Amino acid sequence: MNIGIFGAGHMGSAMIKGWLRSEAISPNDLLVRGGRRGTAQTLQEELQFKLTNDNQAFLEQDIIFLAVNTPLILSILKELKETLQDKVIPIVSVSAGVSVKEMQAVMGGSYPLAQAIPNTPVQINQGITGIVYAENIASESKELIQTSFNYLGELVEITEDKIGIFGTLAGCGPAFVDVFMEALSDGAVLNGMDRDMAYHVAAKMVASSANLLLETGKHPGELKDGVTSPGGTTIKGITALEKEGFRYATINAIDTIMN
């Protein structure tokens, strides 16, 4: 599969690393067009994918991804429409701010388009991506898009009205978890644990707890009850979290982004 991608910022570079890490995509299969900041050039020196400044080079790709800032999406689509002319190559935007309908207004209602929202764990092939397809997309194009994302983790098809909350939960959530792990580690360091060990234990605990929920299918509250013995240390810690508004702060963070 020959993949073309515009942009090598945070999300673009995460996807590039994930594809190459999967070993299903080689550096020679990846064509990248970067921006003015030079991040694509720096990444190319490390990963050895193909780099271009010429849209004509994308005519040889099987699929094209747009991983650039939202204001650039429609202008790049206009450039690609002129470049591609009658050639049909599926195009996927990974920007939250431009809908499939807006993309169709440029490329046409029958063009194979999709809007996807990946999260940064795609770089280790453990991401979760929400995707909205154009209504009339051909099965061959849809399958090609699905395959490209399957290399990066799990793909979930969602409706356009849910892509905002999906992006907030899956896309912003890792930063919330990172803050939580850092705070846990600070608490451990405060009580004498080595910093590197604290980070390792916190990360392993979060990952294994999440996997326990996924594999057992149990409600998070049920799993929490399995740790909280009557009068024990864990329930005392949870009480302290509740006193500080831990749940409300988390809910409010999601709601603040959405509103």
Side-chain angles (χ1 to χ4, degrees):
M1 180 188 295
N2 292 317
I3 296 174
I5 182 167
F6 284 73
H10 291 304
M11 186 50 64
S13 62
M15 294 169 71
I16 290 166
K17 290 175 182 178
W19 281 320
L20 295 178
R21 189 176 187 271
S22 74
E23 297 185 351
I25 304 297
S26 72
N28 200 47
D29 297 327
L30 272 174
L31 178 69
V32 180
R33 178 163 187 175
R36 298 175 181 174
R37 291 184 296 175
T39 54
Q41 288 84 349
T42 301
L43 193 64
Q44 193 271 341
E45 291 173 7
E46 175 189 351
L47 301 177
Q48 298 299 302
F49 50 77
K50 294 184 293 185
L51 199 61
T52 186
N53 289 316
D54 184 6
N55 285 355
Q56 292 287 330
F58 287 89
L59 287 168
E60 303 304 318
Q61 305 310 107
D62 298 313
I63 186 170
I64 297 172
F65 290 85
L66 307 182
V68 297
N69 292 332
T70 298
L72 299 176
I73 295 290
L74 296 182
S75 61
I76 290 176
L77 283 175
K78 290 174 183 175
E79 291 178 19
L80 284 173
K81 184 176 183 180
E82 183 176 334
T83 301
L84 298 175
Q85 295 183 4
D86 296 329
K87 189 164 186 180
V88 178
I89 301 173
I91 298 175
V92 183
S93 165
V94 295
S95 168
V98 179
S99 69
V100 170
K101 289 181 180 178
E102 290 175 298
M103 295 168 67
Q104 286 177 319
V106 176
M107 300 301 295
S110 62
Y111 199 90
L113 299 165
Q115 180 191 14
I117 305 296
N119 62 2
T120 51
V122 295
Q123 67 184 291
I124 58 167
N125 316 105
Q126 295 181 32
I128 183 166
T129 300
I131 192 163
V132 179
Y133 297 101
E135 286 185 14
N136 300 320
I137 193 167
S139 58
E140 296 84 359
S141 296
K142 188 173 183 179
E143 184 176 340
L144 187 64
I145 294 169
Q146 289 172 334
T147 299
S148 67
F149 277 113
N150 287 339
Y151 296 137
L152 303 178
E154 183 177 348
L155 183 66
V156 180
E157 186 171 352
I158 55 177
T159 56
E160 194 157 7
D161 63 316
K162 295 297 189 294
I163 199 162
I165 185 57
F166 184 97
T168 296
L169 181 58
C172 303
F176 301 164
V177 175
D178 291 338
V179 170
F180 178 52
M181 289 191 293
E182 185 178 31
L184 288 169
S185 301
D186 284 345
V189 171
L190 179 64
N191 285 274
M193 183 177 280
D194 173 79
R195 171 65 70 181
D196 289 341
M197 178 63 76
Y199 283 147
H200 177 80
V201 173
K204 194 71 176 179
M205 178 276 296
V206 169
S208 59
S209 298
N211 285 333
L212 182 62
L213 186 150
L214 290 171
E215 291 190 21
T216 63
K218 290 184 177 180
H219 189 283
E222 184 180 358
L223 293 174
K224 179 264 297 178
D225 289 347
V227 187
T228 50
S229 304
T233 54
T234 305
I235 192 63
K236 290 178 182 178
I238 288 175
T239 301
L241 288 174
E242 294 289 3
K243 184 179 179 181
E244 298 299 328
F246 179 74
R247 293 191 200 213
Y248 175 76
T250 305
I251 294 167
N252 191 43
I254 298 290
D255 195 51
T256 298
I257 293 171
M258 292 299 296
N259 293 291

mmCIF file of all heavy atoms in Angstrom, residues 87-135:
data_model
loop_
_atom_site.group_PDB
_atom_site.id
_atom_site.type_symbol
_atom_site.label_atom_id
_atom_site.label_comp_id
_atom_site.label_asym_id
_atom_site.label_seq_id
_atom_site.Cartn_x
_atom_site.Cartn_y
_atom_site.Cartn_z
ATOM 1 N N LYS A 87 -8.334 11.340 -11.846
ATOM 2 C CA LYS A 87 -7.887 10.194 -11.056
ATOM 3 C C LYS A 87 -8.548 10.222 -9.690
ATOM 4 O O LYS A 87 -8.624 11.273 -9.040
ATOM 5 C CB LYS A 87 -6.370 10.195 -10.914
ATOM 6 C CG LYS A 87 -5.839 8.911 -10.289
ATOM 7 C CD LYS A 87 -4.349 8.748 -10.497
ATOM 8 C CE LYS A 87 -3.892 7.387 -9.987
ATOM 9 N NZ LYS A 87 -2.443 7.190 -10.177
ATOM 10 N N VAL A 88 -9.026 9.062 -9.233
ATOM 11 C CA VAL A 88 -9.740 8.975 -7.954
ATOM 12 C C VAL A 88 -8.873 8.226 -6.941
ATOM 13 O O VAL A 88 -8.652 7.026 -7.063
ATOM 14 C CB VAL A 88 -11.096 8.260 -8.116
ATOM 15 C CG1 VAL A 88 -11.794 8.138 -6.772
ATOM 16 C CG2 VAL A 88 -11.981 9.015 -9.106
ATOM 17 N N ILE A 89 -8.383 8.959 -5.944
ATOM 18 C CA ILE A 89 -7.596 8.388 -4.856
ATOM 19 C C ILE A 89 -8.301 8.755 -3.549
ATOM 20 O O ILE A 89 -8.524 9.937 -3.293
ATOM 21 C CB ILE A 89 -6.154 8.940 -4.851
ATOM 22 C CG1 ILE A 89 -5.453 8.640 -6.183
ATOM 23 C CG2 ILE A 89 -5.360 8.368 -3.678
ATOM 24 C CD1 ILE A 89 -4.090 9.298 -6.318
ATOM 25 N N PRO A 90 -8.677 7.786 -2.716
ATOM 26 C CA PRO A 90 -9.358 8.105 -1.462
ATOM 27 C C PRO A 90 -8.570 9.105 -0.621
ATOM 28 O O PRO A 90 -7.344 9.000 -0.513
ATOM 29 C CB PRO A 90 -9.460 6.746 -0.753
ATOM 30 C CG PRO A 90 -9.413 5.748 -1.858
ATOM 31 C CD PRO A 90 -8.500 6.328 -2.900
ATOM 32 N N ILE A 91 -9.285 10.069 -0.058
ATOM 33 C CA ILE A 91 -8.662 11.104 0.762
ATOM 34 C C ILE A 91 -9.307 11.086 2.150
ATOM 35 O O ILE A 91 -10.533 11.080 2.277
ATOM 36 C CB ILE A 91 -8.822 12.497 0.133
ATOM 37 C CG1 ILE A 91 -8.120 12.548 -1.232
ATOM 38 C CG2 ILE A 91 -8.277 13.582 1.059
ATOM 39 C CD1 ILE A 91 -8.327 13.859 -1.981
ATOM 40 N N VAL A 92 -8.458 11.103 3.177
ATOM 41 C CA VAL A 92 -8.925 11.090 4.563
ATOM 42 C C VAL A 92 -8.339 12.289 5.298
ATOM 43 O O VAL A 92 -7.122 12.481 5.326
ATOM 44 C CB VAL A 92 -8.485 9.806 5.294
ATOM 45 C CG1 VAL A 92 -9.040 9.791 6.720
ATOM 46 C CG2 VAL A 92 -8.937 8.565 4.529
ATOM 47 N N SER A 93 -9.210 13.093 5.894
ATOM 48 C CA SER A 93 -8.759 14.190 6.744
ATOM 49 C C SER A 93 -8.739 13.714 8.192
ATOM 50 O O SER A 93 -9.667 13.041 8.637
ATOM 51 C CB SER A 93 -9.706 15.392 6.619
ATOM 52 O OG SER A 93 -9.481 16.315 7.672
ATOM 53 N N VAL A 94 -7.685 14.051 8.924
ATOM 54 C CA VAL A 94 -7.644 13.732 10.348
ATOM 55 C C VAL A 94 -7.751 15.010 11.175
ATOM 56 O O VAL A 94 -7.274 15.093 12.299
ATOM 57 C CB VAL A 94 -6.375 12.930 10.726
ATOM 58 C CG1 VAL A 94 -6.390 11.577 10.051
ATOM 59 C CG2 VAL A 94 -5.102 13.687 10.387
ATOM 60 N N SER A 95 -8.431 16.005 10.609
ATOM 61 C CA SER A 95 -8.714 17.251 11.317
ATOM 62 C C SER A 95 -10.146 17.233 11.830
ATOM 63 O O SER A 95 -11.072 16.858 11.109
ATOM 64 C CB SER A 95 -8.532 18.448 10.377
ATOM 65 O OG SER A 95 -9.061 19.621 10.956
ATOM 66 N N ALA A 96 -10.334 17.647 13.071
ATOM 67 C CA ALA A 96 -11.673 17.626 13.668
ATOM 68 C C ALA A 96 -12.563 18.748 13.129
ATOM 69 O O ALA A 96 -13.782 18.690 13.266
ATOM 70 C CB ALA A 96 -11.565 17.751 15.187
ATOM 71 N N GLY A 97 -11.966 19.755 12.509
ATOM 72 C CA GLY A 97 -12.720 20.955 12.190
ATOM 73 C C GLY A 97 -13.362 21.019 10.822
ATOM 74 O O GLY A 97 -14.048 21.988 10.504
ATOM 75 N N VAL A 98 -13.156 20.013 9.971
ATOM 76 C CA VAL A 98 -13.709 20.041 8.615
ATOM 77 C C VAL A 98 -14.505 18.760 8.379
ATOM 78 O O VAL A 98 -13.969 17.666 8.475
ATOM 79 C CB VAL A 98 -12.597 20.163 7.553
ATOM 80 C CG1 VAL A 98 -13.196 20.158 6.146
ATOM 81 C CG2 VAL A 98 -11.796 21.437 7.774
ATOM 82 N N SER A 99 -15.791 18.911 8.092
ATOM 83 C CA SER A 99 -16.675 17.751 7.938
ATOM 84 C C SER A 99 -16.551 17.139 6.550
ATOM 85 O O SER A 99 -15.996 17.746 5.619
ATOM 86 C CB SER A 99 -18.128 18.176 8.164
ATOM 87 O OG SER A 99 -18.564 19.017 7.106
ATOM 88 N N VAL A 100 -17.077 15.940 6.409
ATOM 89 C CA VAL A 100 -17.097 15.261 5.115
ATOM 90 C C VAL A 100 -17.889 16.094 4.108
ATOM 91 O O VAL A 100 -17.497 16.207 2.941
ATOM 92 C CB VAL A 100 -17.697 13.846 5.254
ATOM 93 C CG1 VAL A 100 -17.953 13.238 3.881
ATOM 94 C CG2 VAL A 100 -16.761 12.949 6.050
ATOM 95 N N LYS A 101 -18.982 16.677 4.539
ATOM 96 C CA LYS A 101 -19.808 17.489 3.632
ATOM 97 C C LYS A 101 -19.030 18.689 3.103
ATOM 98 O O LYS A 101 -19.152 19.054 1.930
ATOM 99 C CB LYS A 101 -21.082 17.934 4.344
ATOM 100 C CG LYS A 101 -22.070 16.808 4.594
ATOM 101 C CD LYS A 101 -23.334 17.308 5.271
ATOM 102 C CE LYS A 101 -24.309 16.152 5.502
ATOM 103 N NZ LYS A 101 -25.532 16.600 6.213
ATOM 104 N N GLU A 102 -18.225 19.312 3.958
ATOM 105 C CA GLU A 102 -17.401 20.437 3.513
ATOM 106 C C GLU A 102 -16.342 19.967 2.519
ATOM 107 O O GLU A 102 -16.023 20.682 1.559
ATOM 108 C CB GLU A 102 -16.745 21.107 4.720
ATOM 109 C CG GLU A 102 -17.720 21.861 5.611
ATOM 110 C CD GLU A 102 -17.061 22.402 6.866
ATOM 111 O OE1 GLU A 102 -16.576 21.584 7.665
ATOM 112 O OE2 GLU A 102 -17.024 23.645 7.044
ATOM 113 N N MET A 103 -15.811 18.794 2.745
ATOM 114 C CA MET A 103 -14.836 18.235 1.811
ATOM 115 C C MET A 103 -15.494 17.899 0.476
ATOM 116 O O MET A 103 -14.929 18.137 -0.594
ATOM 117 C CB MET A 103 -14.199 16.987 2.417
ATOM 118 C CG MET A 103 -13.366 17.261 3.674
ATOM 119 S SD MET A 103 -12.903 15.747 4.565
ATOM 120 C CE MET A 103 -11.783 14.985 3.388
ATOM 121 N N GLN A 104 -16.729 17.369 0.549
ATOM 122 C CA GLN A 104 -17.465 17.034 -0.670
ATOM 123 C C GLN A 104 -17.773 18.277 -1.501
ATOM 124 O O GLN A 104 -17.839 18.208 -2.729
ATOM 125 C CB GLN A 104 -18.759 16.315 -0.323
ATOM 126 C CG GLN A 104 -18.559 14.878 0.128
ATOM 127 C CD GLN A 104 -19.849 14.215 0.534
ATOM 128 O OE1 GLN A 104 -20.705 14.816 1.194
ATOM 129 N NE2 GLN A 104 -20.024 12.964 0.134
ATOM 130 N N ALA A 105 -17.960 19.402 -0.826
ATOM 131 C CA ALA A 105 -18.249 20.645 -1.546
ATOM 132 C C ALA A 105 -17.102 21.030 -2.470
ATOM 133 O O ALA A 105 -17.297 21.687 -3.497
ATOM 134 C CB ALA A 105 -18.527 21.775 -0.550
ATOM 135 N N VAL A 106 -15.892 20.590 -2.125
ATOM 136 C CA VAL A 106 -14.718 20.854 -2.961
ATOM 137 C C VAL A 106 -14.497 19.731 -3.968
ATOM 138 O O VAL A 106 -14.316 19.973 -5.165
ATOM 139 C CB VAL A 106 -13.446 21.010 -2.084
ATOM 140 C CG1 VAL A 106 -12.215 21.190 -2.975
ATOM 141 C CG2 VAL A 106 -13.604 22.187 -1.139
ATOM 142 N N MET A 107 -14.549 18.479 -3.494
ATOM 143 C CA MET A 107 -14.160 17.336 -4.323
ATOM 144 C C MET A 107 -15.323 16.731 -5.108
ATOM 145 O O MET A 107 -15.089 15.966 -6.057
ATOM 146 C CB MET A 107 -13.529 16.244 -3.445
ATOM 147 C CG MET A 107 -12.293 16.679 -2.690
ATOM 148 S SD MET A 107 -10.947 17.249 -3.764
ATOM 149 C CE MET A 107 -10.538 15.742 -4.653
ATOM 150 N N GLY A 108 -16.545 17.014 -4.705
ATOM 151 C CA GLY A 108 -17.703 16.422 -5.368
ATOM 152 C C GLY A 108 -18.343 15.343 -4.507
ATOM 153 O O GLY A 108 -17.669 14.672 -3.725
ATOM 154 N N GLY A 109 -19.641 15.177 -4.647
ATOM 155 C CA GLY A 109 -20.398 14.274 -3.796
ATOM 156 C C GLY A 109 -20.069 12.812 -3.958
ATOM 157 O O GLY A 109 -20.325 12.009 -3.054
ATOM 158 N N SER A 110 -19.507 12.422 -5.086
ATOM 159 C CA SER A 110 -19.215 11.004 -5.324
ATOM 160 C C SER A 110 -17.767 10.630 -5.018
ATOM 161 O O SER A 110 -17.391 9.464 -5.119
ATOM 162 C CB SER A 110 -19.521 10.650 -6.780
ATOM 163 O OG SER A 110 -18.704 11.406 -7.665
ATOM 164 N N TYR A 111 -16.948 11.607 -4.617
ATOM 165 C CA TYR A 111 -15.537 11.327 -4.373
ATOM 166 C C TYR A 111 -15.370 10.561 -3.058
ATOM 167 O O TYR A 111 -16.046 10.855 -2.076
ATOM 168 C CB TYR A 111 -14.723 12.625 -4.330
ATOM 169 C CG TYR A 111 -13.248 12.406 -4.544
ATOM 170 C CD1 TYR A 111 -12.692 12.442 -5.810
ATOM 171 C CD2 TYR A 111 -12.416 12.096 -3.468
ATOM 172 C CE1 TYR A 111 -11.340 12.200 -6.014
ATOM 173 C CE2 TYR A 111 -11.069 11.852 -3.659
ATOM 174 C CZ TYR A 111 -10.535 11.904 -4.938
ATOM 175 O OH TYR A 111 -9.199 11.653 -5.134
ATOM 176 N N PRO A 112 -14.466 9.547 -3.009
ATOM 177 C CA PRO A 112 -14.270 8.765 -1.782
ATOM 178 C C PRO A 112 -13.521 9.552 -0.705
ATOM 179 O O PRO A 112 -12.298 9.746 -0.782
ATOM 180 C CB PRO A 112 -13.455 7.559 -2.257
ATOM 181 C CG PRO A 112 -12.743 8.023 -3.487
ATOM 182 C CD PRO A 112 -13.662 9.013 -4.138
ATOM 183 N N LEU A 113 -14.267 9.999 0.290
ATOM 184 C CA LEU A 113 -13.724 10.847 1.347
ATOM 185 C C LEU A 113 -14.064 10.283 2.720
ATOM 186 O O LEU A 113 -15.057 9.561 2.882
ATOM 187 C CB LEU A 113 -14.289 12.264 1.245
ATOM 188 C CG LEU A 113 -13.995 13.045 -0.034
ATOM 189 C CD1 LEU A 113 -14.916 14.245 -0.129
ATOM 190 C CD2 LEU A 113 -12.528 13.488 -0.062
ATOM 191 N N ALA A 114 -13.265 10.647 3.712
ATOM 192 C CA ALA A 114 -13.561 10.279 5.096
ATOM 193 C C ALA A 114 -12.916 11.296 6.025
ATOM 194 O O ALA A 114 -11.910 11.925 5.687
ATOM 195 C CB ALA A 114 -13.058 8.881 5.421
ATOM 196 N N GLN A 115 -13.526 11.454 7.181
ATOM 197 C CA GLN A 115 -12.950 12.259 8.257
ATOM 198 C C GLN A 115 -12.663 11.321 9.416
ATOM 199 O O GLN A 115 -13.544 10.582 9.862
ATOM 200 C CB GLN A 115 -13.904 13.357 8.715
ATOM 201 C CG GLN A 115 -13.342 14.232 9.837
ATOM 202 C CD GLN A 115 -14.391 15.146 10.450
ATOM 203 O OE1 GLN A 115 -15.589 14.959 10.218
ATOM 204 N NE2 GLN A 115 -13.966 16.114 11.235
ATOM 205 N N ALA A 116 -11.430 11.325 9.895
ATOM 206 C CA ALA A 116 -11.041 10.416 10.973
ATOM 207 C C ALA A 116 -10.403 11.196 12.109
ATOM 208 O O ALA A 116 -9.749 12.215 11.890
ATOM 209 C CB ALA A 116 -10.072 9.356 10.448
ATOM 210 N N ILE A 117 -10.605 10.702 13.324
ATOM 211 C CA ILE A 117 -9.983 11.296 14.500
ATOM 212 C C ILE A 117 -9.181 10.218 15.226
ATOM 213 O O ILE A 117 -9.724 9.432 16.009
ATOM 214 C CB ILE A 117 -11.045 11.892 15.461
ATOM 215 C CG1 ILE A 117 -11.937 12.896 14.728
ATOM 216 C CG2 ILE A 117 -10.351 12.558 16.655
ATOM 217 C CD1 ILE A 117 -11.221 14.130 14.214
ATOM 218 N N PRO A 118 -7.873 10.129 14.941
ATOM 219 C CA PRO A 118 -7.019 9.181 15.663
ATOM 220 C C PRO A 118 -6.546 9.813 16.982
ATOM 221 O O PRO A 118 -6.726 11.010 17.209
ATOM 222 C CB PRO A 118 -5.841 8.976 14.718
ATOM 223 C CG PRO A 118 -6.096 9.865 13.509
ATOM 224 C CD PRO A 118 -7.140 10.848 13.898
ATOM 225 N N ASN A 119 -5.916 9.025 17.825
ATOM 226 C CA ASN A 119 -5.227 9.584 18.985
ATOM 227 C C ASN A 119 -3.760 9.171 18.953
ATOM 228 O O ASN A 119 -3.364 8.296 18.180
ATOM 229 C CB ASN A 119 -5.908 9.215 20.311
ATOM 230 C CG ASN A 119 -5.938 7.718 20.577
ATOM 231 O OD1 ASN A 119 -5.428 6.911 19.805
ATOM 232 N ND2 ASN A 119 -6.554 7.332 21.682
ATOM 233 N N THR A 120 -2.947 9.821 19.761
ATOM 234 C CA THR A 120 -1.503 9.670 19.637
ATOM 235 C C THR A 120 -0.968 8.249 19.891
ATOM 236 O O THR A 120 0.105 7.925 19.359
ATOM 237 C CB THR A 120 -0.757 10.662 20.553
ATOM 238 O OG1 THR A 120 -1.286 10.564 21.884
ATOM 239 C CG2 THR A 120 -0.919 12.082 20.044
ATOM 240 N N PRO A 121 -1.656 7.374 20.644
ATOM 241 C CA PRO A 121 -1.147 5.998 20.759
ATOM 242 C C PRO A 121 -1.107 5.214 19.442
ATOM 243 O O PRO A 121 -0.615 4.084 19.432
ATOM 244 C CB PRO A 121 -2.107 5.356 21.769
ATOM 245 C CG PRO A 121 -2.557 6.490 22.635
ATOM 246 C CD PRO A 121 -2.704 7.632 21.667
ATOM 247 N N VAL A 122 -1.573 5.826 18.342
ATOM 248 C CA VAL A 122 -1.409 5.145 17.046
ATOM 249 C C VAL A 122 0.068 4.917 16.739
ATOM 250 O O VAL A 122 0.418 4.005 15.988
ATOM 251 C CB VAL A 122 -2.063 5.935 15.876
ATOM 252 C CG1 VAL A 122 -3.574 6.013 16.033
ATOM 253 C CG2 VAL A 122 -1.442 7.322 15.721
ATOM 254 N N GLN A 123 0.945 5.727 17.351
ATOM 255 C CA GLN A 123 2.374 5.584 17.042
ATOM 256 C C GLN A 123 2.949 4.274 17.576
ATOM 257 O O GLN A 123 4.018 3.831 17.123
ATOM 258 C CB GLN A 123 3.164 6.761 17.568
ATOM 259 C CG GLN A 123 3.239 6.908 19.070
ATOM 260 C CD GLN A 123 3.966 8.181 19.468
ATOM 261 O OE1 GLN A 123 5.171 8.305 19.266
ATOM 262 N NE2 GLN A 123 3.249 9.136 20.022
ATOM 263 N N ILE A 124 2.249 3.625 18.526
ATOM 264 C CA ILE A 124 2.678 2.307 18.990
ATOM 265 C C ILE A 124 1.633 1.251 18.615
ATOM 266 O O ILE A 124 1.550 0.198 19.247
ATOM 267 C CB ILE A 124 2.972 2.292 20.502
ATOM 268 C CG1 ILE A 124 1.741 2.723 21.318
ATOM 269 C CG2 ILE A 124 4.183 3.149 20.829
ATOM 270 C CD1 ILE A 124 1.873 2.426 22.804
ATOM 271 N N ASN A 125 0.815 1.565 17.601
ATOM 272 C CA ASN A 125 -0.180 0.630 17.049
ATOM 273 C C ASN A 125 -1.249 0.250 18.059
ATOM 274 O O ASN A 125 -1.867 -0.807 17.959
ATOM 275 C CB ASN A 125 0.510 -0.639 16.518
ATOM 276 C CG ASN A 125 1.754 -0.332 15.721
ATOM 277 O OD1 ASN A 125 2.866 -0.531 16.209
ATOM 278 N ND2 ASN A 125 1.591 0.194 14.519
ATOM 279 N N GLN A 126 -1.503 1.138 19.025
ATOM 280 C CA GLN A 126 -2.517 0.889 20.043
ATOM 281 C C GLN A 126 -3.505 2.047 20.145
ATOM 282 O O GLN A 126 -4.110 2.282 21.188
ATOM 283 C CB GLN A 126 -1.859 0.632 21.401
ATOM 284 C CG GLN A 126 -1.029 -0.643 21.439
ATOM 285 C CD GLN A 126 -0.406 -0.893 22.794
ATOM 286 O OE1 GLN A 126 -0.966 -0.548 23.832
ATOM 287 N NE2 GLN A 126 0.769 -1.491 22.796
ATOM 288 N N GLY A 127 -3.667 2.770 19.039
ATOM 289 C CA GLY A 127 -4.587 3.886 19.039
ATOM 290 C C GLY A 127 -6.024 3.436 18.874
ATOM 291 O O GLY A 127 -6.323 2.280 18.609
ATOM 292 N N ILE A 128 -6.927 4.388 19.045
ATOM 293 C CA ILE A 128 -8.319 4.174 18.688
ATOM 294 C C ILE A 128 -8.737 5.367 17.841
ATOM 295 O O ILE A 128 -8.489 6.519 18.196
ATOM 296 C CB ILE A 128 -9.235 3.998 19.918
ATOM 297 C CG1 ILE A 128 -10.666 3.705 19.462
ATOM 298 C CG2 ILE A 128 -9.155 5.185 20.874
ATOM 299 C CD1 ILE A 128 -11.574 3.181 20.553
ATOM 300 N N THR A 129 -9.325 5.073 16.685
ATOM 301 C CA THR A 129 -9.666 6.099 15.708
ATOM 302 C C THR A 129 -11.151 6.044 15.400
ATOM 303 O O THR A 129 -11.691 4.977 15.114
ATOM 304 C CB THR A 129 -8.873 5.887 14.400
ATOM 305 O OG1 THR A 129 -7.474 5.953 14.678
ATOM 306 C CG2 THR A 129 -9.238 6.939 13.355
ATOM 307 N N GLY A 130 -11.802 7.190 15.454
ATOM 308 C CA GLY A 130 -13.196 7.291 15.027
ATOM 309 C C GLY A 130 -13.231 7.790 13.596
ATOM 310 O O GLY A 130 -12.419 8.645 13.215
ATOM 311 N N ILE A 131 -14.145 7.261 12.790
ATOM 312 C CA ILE A 131 -14.159 7.635 11.375
ATOM 313 C C ILE A 131 -15.575 7.815 10.860
ATOM 314 O O ILE A 131 -16.501 7.095 11.249
ATOM 315 C CB ILE A 131 -13.403 6.589 10.519
ATOM 316 C CG1 ILE A 131 -13.163 7.126 9.111
ATOM 317 C CG2 ILE A 131 -14.133 5.249 10.495
ATOM 318 C CD1 ILE A 131 -12.089 6.363 8.353
ATOM 319 N N VAL A 132 -15.739 8.816 9.998
ATOM 320 C CA VAL A 132 -16.996 9.084 9.288
ATOM 321 C C VAL A 132 -16.703 8.996 7.795
ATOM 322 O O VAL A 132 -15.799 9.674 7.297
ATOM 323 C CB VAL A 132 -17.550 10.487 9.622
ATOM 324 C CG1 VAL A 132 -18.835 10.747 8.850
ATOM 325 C CG2 VAL A 132 -17.781 10.630 11.118
ATOM 326 N N TYR A 133 -17.439 8.159 7.091
ATOM 327 C CA TYR A 133 -17.248 7.994 5.652
ATOM 328 C C TYR A 133 -18.290 8.793 4.875
ATOM 329 O O TYR A 133 -19.412 9.017 5.347
ATOM 330 C CB TYR A 133 -17.400 6.518 5.256
ATOM 331 C CG TYR A 133 -16.384 5.589 5.849
ATOM 332 C CD1 TYR A 133 -16.698 4.798 6.953
ATOM 333 C CD2 TYR A 133 -15.100 5.482 5.312
ATOM 334 C CE1 TYR A 133 -15.778 3.929 7.506
ATOM 335 C CE2 TYR A 133 -14.167 4.614 5.855
ATOM 336 C CZ TYR A 133 -14.503 3.847 6.954
ATOM 337 O OH TYR A 133 -13.586 2.995 7.501
ATOM 338 N N ALA A 134 -17.921 9.200 3.672
ATOM 339 C CA ALA A 134 -18.904 9.772 2.759
ATOM 340 C C ALA A 134 -19.965 8.711 2.472
ATOM 341 O O ALA A 134 -19.657 7.516 2.365
ATOM 342 C CB ALA A 134 -18.220 10.203 1.461
ATOM 343 N N GLU A 135 -21.202 9.133 2.352
ATOM 344 C CA GLU A 135 -22.321 8.193 2.214
ATOM 345 C C GLU A 135 -22.166 7.261 1.023
ATOM 346 O O GLU A 135 -22.484 6.074 1.112
ATOM 347 C CB GLU A 135 -23.643 8.966 2.100
ATOM 348 C CG GLU A 135 -24.105 9.577 3.405
ATOM 349 C CD GLU A 135 -25.467 10.231 3.274
ATOM 350 O OE1 GLU A 135 -26.151 9.982 2.251
ATOM 351 O OE2 GLU A 135 -25.856 10.977 4.180
#
